[in-house]
Amino acid sequence: MTPRLTPLLRCLAWLSLPLTASAADVTAAVSSTPVATLSIDATASAGRVSPLHYGLMTEEINHCYDGGLYAELVRNRTFRDDDKQPAHWSAVHDATLALDRTQPLNAANPASLRVDIRASGGGVANTGYWGFPVTPSTRYRATVHAKAAAGFTGPLTLSLQSPDGSIVYARAKISRLSADWQAHEVTLRTARGITPTTDTRLVLGTEAPATVWLGLVSLFPPTWKDRPNGLRRDLMQMLVDLKPAFLRFPGGNYLEGDTIDSRFKWWETLGPIAERPGHPCPWGYRSTDGMGLLEFLLWCEDMKAEPVLALYAGYSLRGDYVKPGPDLEPFIKEALDEIEYVSGPVTSTWGARRAADGHPEPFPLRYVEIGNEDWFDKSGSYDARYTQFQDAIKARHPGLKCISSIGNEQPAQKRVQSRRPDVLDEHYYRKTADFLKDSPTHFDSYDRSGPEIFVGEWAAHETAFPPWDKQSKGLPATPNQWAAIGDAAWMAAMERHSDFVTMQCYAPLFANLNDYQWRPDLIGYDALRAYGSPSYHAFRLFSTHVGDEILKTTFGAGTSVQGSVTRDSRSGLIYVKLVNPLPAAQSLRIDLAGGRPLARTARVFTLAAAPDATNSLAAPAKVVPVASKLPVSSPSFTCDLAPTSVTVLELKPR
Ligand code: AHR
């Protein structure tokens, strides 16, 4: 008789196979043990999957916008990154550079770059965000705010070139410079046959001695939907492929700022880019605010995602807070005005401003979050601040749902007591092993009648080091398959409870691989290329295979497989999501009670790899889902799960 082995023992049995074991030995070793089981109750829905369940969280971190999604290519375009020197700019040939506060572009951008060119070929070069992405047959749109000392009218030449200037990929000329500030727009086009590269710089130069002042230099490649001041196409495609239902913005810590003064001042992020001052971002660099409130909203619109707007609520990261009461009133007005900008009619003050900015149609807005991670506020003022915000918001917008930034993962005494928030935002950054342990039961004790739960930040880390630990610095920005296993187990837990876990989003979304402050991140990139981590692919498998009904699932005692099952009430398709954390294949017997008889074949999507396997710029598709078919039958069938894998079965009714 075959001994009954627990999954762990079966895994050990697998590991003790001789290295020379053939595939047949391996199959025999696994299939000779009793199978793990999953029972699915398809007789009735156990709850409604929130249509908003899968979404995205975003903020300026890891060069997520500047040097990331926001497609601007010129770094330090208004010369505000450093008060003392023109950071990321350097002189070319016989020229000198200086920040000049006597010739400001405008009040928002009080220093210009003075370029004294002494001989033909002199000028100034920009590094871009670790190079400019030069690709064949590409049109780049440049905007330059410039003026010149009397007597010089141009031309000023812009060129994308190799760092030593020996190769020029594209060039354009600006003429008719004058002694007054003027905005010039030109197009640079690359030739067909060039090899894509980031080993490049942007040079602005003259063919004769001259003194030129630059107030803003901007260069955009083709953007998503060709929007001016738009977003990078490859990264947007990766996001659209996730079919996100919402976008949480603008943070995260980025909302709060290090200090009250460096909070996200949404009104300063509107209007022409030349008039945006930008502000210091708490992640160690300055934000241009090119990615402003309207750009966030258009981003939502382009992804068909709904905005989940985080409102600054009077607490900043270094511990400054605004006392509840009269001191907080101006901040509440800021928030109400922001809501009006997003969703007010054109007849309202801020709705009219939105219309003037080019979007008369109000954006849909159903959820606002009051602050971010306010459990860090040691003054204990959140309860009163939250109350003041919620009361003011509900008085003006009774239908808006208010999200508290403190959830059940925090001690009860920190949570809001004076009001009942509509939604609680919970954050979980955990080791894969911890997610695997907690996921089977985590939400079981929650009150299904509310408040709704928004898991507004979560991610598994595969190492012992949480993202804020010094020892996580220097590790790769994007995680490996082992992290994706933890992510998938956690997503399955949230999805099983997606009637009250109404929204969830991984964080952070993006990392520029040249400079990141936090790992792990879902998507990695440089100026030219991008890839999804195994976690990205796990998320995509989940977010694109989801029905509207939760089906009750029971895993047999002792099985280590975790998962979630949903059904689409219209098509009858059943989505079975399975996570095998073991480094050995497992056979899972699936018993389906009730529901319609199944078609004979199911589609299967498998993300399987060794725990330490990962993707990178050099090997972007090492770990990606593979599609296959599985013969199935009602009411029972067996499914073989690959070692350390995430599998989605699509069961079709006959
Ligand atoms: O996602 C990174 C950071 O983690 C967020 O800015 C903050 O809200 C959390 O602490």
Side-chain angles (χ1 to χ4, degrees):
M1 199 180 103
T2 313
R4 288 188 68 82
L5 297 179
T6 64
L8 187 61
L9 286 176
R10 285 164 54 212
C11 165
L12 293 175
W14 164 283
L15 291 173
S16 63
L17 284 168
L19 285 177
T20 52
S22 68
D25 296 329
V26 167
T27 314
V30 174
S31 57
S32 64
T33 59
V35 291
T37 60
L38 164 64
S39 308
I40 303 171
D41 181 357
T43 50
S45 150
R48 188 170 172 271
V49 178
S50 157
L52 280 185
H53 188 67
Y54 291 96
L56 301 176
M57 187 271 169
T58 171
E59 66 174 318
E60 182 61 275
I61 184 174
N62 303 329
H63 291 277
C64 173
Y65 311 140
D66 288 350
L69 181 67
Y70 178 54
E72 173 64 84
L73 299 178
V74 177
R75 190 156 184 196
N76 193 16
R77 68 185 176 189
T78 52
F79 314 102
R80 297 213 55 171
D81 279 12
D82 186 328
D83 284 349
K84 300 197 174 57
Q85 47 167 336
H88 311 295
W89 293 91
S90 59
V92 174
H93 297 310
D94 203 358
T96 48
L97 310 182
L99 290 178
D100 190 347
R101 283 189 183 74
T102 69
Q103 304 291 328
L105 175 63
N106 51 40
N109 288 300
S112 61
L113 181 66
R114 176 181 169 137
V115 188
D116 289 300
I117 299 165
R118 283 180 293 272
S120 166
V124 58
N126 186 260
T127 60
Y129 290 95
W130 300 277
F132 290 78
V134 167
T135 49
S137 308
T138 307
R139 214 167 70 110
Y140 299 81
R141 284 190 217 162
T143 307
V144 178
H145 289 239
K147 64 183 199 169
F152 183 77
T153 56
L156 179 67
T157 305
L158 267 79
S159 59
L160 277 169
Q161 50 177 254
S162 58
D164 63 0
S166 60
I167 310 171
V168 173
Y169 296 103
R171 191 197 308 262
K173 283 188 178 176
I174 292 173
S175 33
R176 289 197 287 276
L177 290 176
S178 76
D180 298 319
W181 286 115
Q182 283 182 73
H184 305 267
E185 303 213 338
V186 286
T187 299
L188 289 79
R189 279 193 182 81
T190 55
R192 234 183 325 156
I194 58 172
T195 307
T197 179
T198 56
D199 197 17
T200 51
R201 64 180 184 172
L202 176 74
V203 171
L204 290 87
T206 59
E207 289 149 15
T211 294
V212 174
W213 286 266
L214 301 172
L216 173 140
V217 182
S218 167
L219 185 73
F220 277 81
T223 57
W224 184 259
K225 289 197 171 179
D226 279 325
R227 283 197 193 277
N229 200 39
L231 307 180
R232 194 170 139 170
R233 285 183 175 176
D234 56 344
L235 296 180
M236 264 304 271
Q237 187 61 58
M238 291 181 77
L239 300 185
V240 168
D241 288 346
L242 296 175
K243 296 204 179 141
F246 69 87
L247 178 72
R248 172 180 177 231
F249 68 86
N253 291 359
Y254 184 59
L255 168 76
E256 302 163 80
D258 277 336
T259 58
I260 296 174
D261 192 47
S262 58
R263 69 193 182 279
F264 183 78
K265 293 180 184 155
W266 59 270
W267 62 95
E268 290 188 355
T269 72
L270 303 176
I273 57 171
E275 287 164 25
R276 298 187 195 184
H279 75 286
C281 144
W283 295 104
Y285 53 95
R286 195 178 167 87
S287 165
T288 62
D289 285 334
M291 194 75 195
L293 179 55
L294 182 60
E295 285 75 21
F296 281 114
L297 295 164
L298 294 171
W299 176 14
C300 292
E301 195 167 273
D302 286 351
M303 294 193 298
K304 301 191 173 43
E306 111 174 32
V308 172
L309 180 67
L311 305 168
Y312 179 77
Y315 175 75
S316 292
L317 295 164
R318 289 191 190 146
D320 302 349
Y321 73 100
V322 183
K323 265 196 5 222
D327 290 359
L328 197 59
E329 281 305 311
F331 295 86
I332 288 175
K333 181 170 181 338
E334 273 176 20
L336 291 172
D337 288 349
E338 185 173 13
I339 292 169
E340 187 172 288
Y341 183 89
V342 174
S343 59
V346 286
T347 47
S348 63
T349 310
W350 285 102
R353 173 62 201 268
R354 185 193 62 241
D357 290 343
H359 202 286
E361 201 55 37
F363 291 93
L365 186 67
R366 291 194 291 166
Y367 288 87
V368 290
E369 178 154 6
I370 298 171
N372 176 60
E373 295 192 338
D374 284 84
W375 66 80
F376 282 112
D377 176 5
K378 292 199 178 63
S379 76
S381 68
Y382 187 60
D383 185 69
R385 287 189 287 111
Y386 180 90
T387 299
Q388 208 174 327
F389 267 85
Q390 173 166 311
D391 289 355
I393 291 167
K394 295 273 184 193
R396 182 90 60 95
H397 307 278
L400 260 188
K401 288 194 181 178
C402 292
I403 306 173
S404 157
S405 79
I406 307 185
N408 296 309
E409 87 288 22
Q410 299 301 325
Q413 71 274 13
K414 294 206 169 197
R415 289 180 229 144
V416 171
Q417 312 288 345
S418 307
R419 292 289 179 277
R420 187 177 195 265
D422 300 300
V423 189
L424 305 180
D425 180 3
E426 304 189 351
H427 293 181
Y428 298 90
Y429 293 106
R430 289 180 166 182
K431 282 191 293 211
T432 289
D434 294 342
F435 269 143
L436 286 171
K437 207 165 139 204
D438 189 31
S439 295
T441 53
H442 181 88
F443 292 105
D444 290 356
S445 55
Y446 278 58
D447 181 355
R448 278 199 126 92
S449 65
E452 291 171 36
I453 300 301
F454 173 26
V455 183
E457 293 182 26
W458 63 267
H461 45 273
E462 66 278 59
T463 69
F465 312 119
W468 47 88
D469 189 305
K470 273 205 194 84
Q471 299 194 72
S472 86
K473 309 274 174 279
L475 295 176
T478 55
N480 65 21
Q481 174 74 356
W482 186 235
I485 293 292
D487 293 331
W490 182 240
M491 281 192 283
M494 291 188 281
E495 195 184 82
R496 285 196 303 276
H497 300 88
S498 54
D499 51 338
F500 67 92
V501 181
T502 49
M503 298 183 279
Q504 61 99 334
C505 42
Y506 185 102
L509 191 54
F510 284 135
N512 186 313
L513 302 175
N514 292 292
D515 182 29
Y516 49 93
Q517 294 75 44
W518 182 287
R519 82 167 302 278
D521 308 295
L522 212 55
I523 295 170
Y525 50 81
D526 66 5
L528 195 58
R529 298 165 298 169
Y531 67 92
S533 62
S535 297
Y536 168 86
H537 292 289
F539 190 95
R540 185 172 169 187
L541 276 179
F542 271 65
S543 65
T544 56
H545 295 95
V546 57
D548 54 352
E549 296 178 332
I550 303 167
L551 297 188
K552 186 165 182 302
T553 49
T554 315
F555 285 93
T559 181
S560 55
V561 177
Q562 300 193 24
S564 161
V565 181
T566 60
R567 176 170 57 197
D568 184 309
S569 57
R570 278 148 306 174
S571 65
L573 272 179
I574 295 178
Y575 301 102
V576 183
K577 292 166 179 138
L578 300 164
V579 187
N580 176 14
L582 298 184
Q586 295 204 62
S587 254
L588 182 74
R589 199 187 74 226
I590 299 181
D591 300 317
L592 200 63
R596 292 155 64 183
L598 299 180
R600 286 213 185 110
T601 317
R603 294 210 299 165
V604 183
F605 303 92
T606 309
L607 182 72
D612 61 352
T614 195
N615 295 329
S616 61
L617 285 180
K622 204 167 154 194
V623 186
V624 291
V626 173
S628 61
K629 293 207 166 127
L630 177 75
V632 293
S633 54
S634 326
S636 267
F637 61 92
T638 298
C639 168
D640 289 329
L641 301 175
T644 45
S645 63
V646 180
T647 302
V648 177
L649 308 180
E650 219 179 76
L651 307 178
K652 217 171 147 187
R654 215 180 283 157

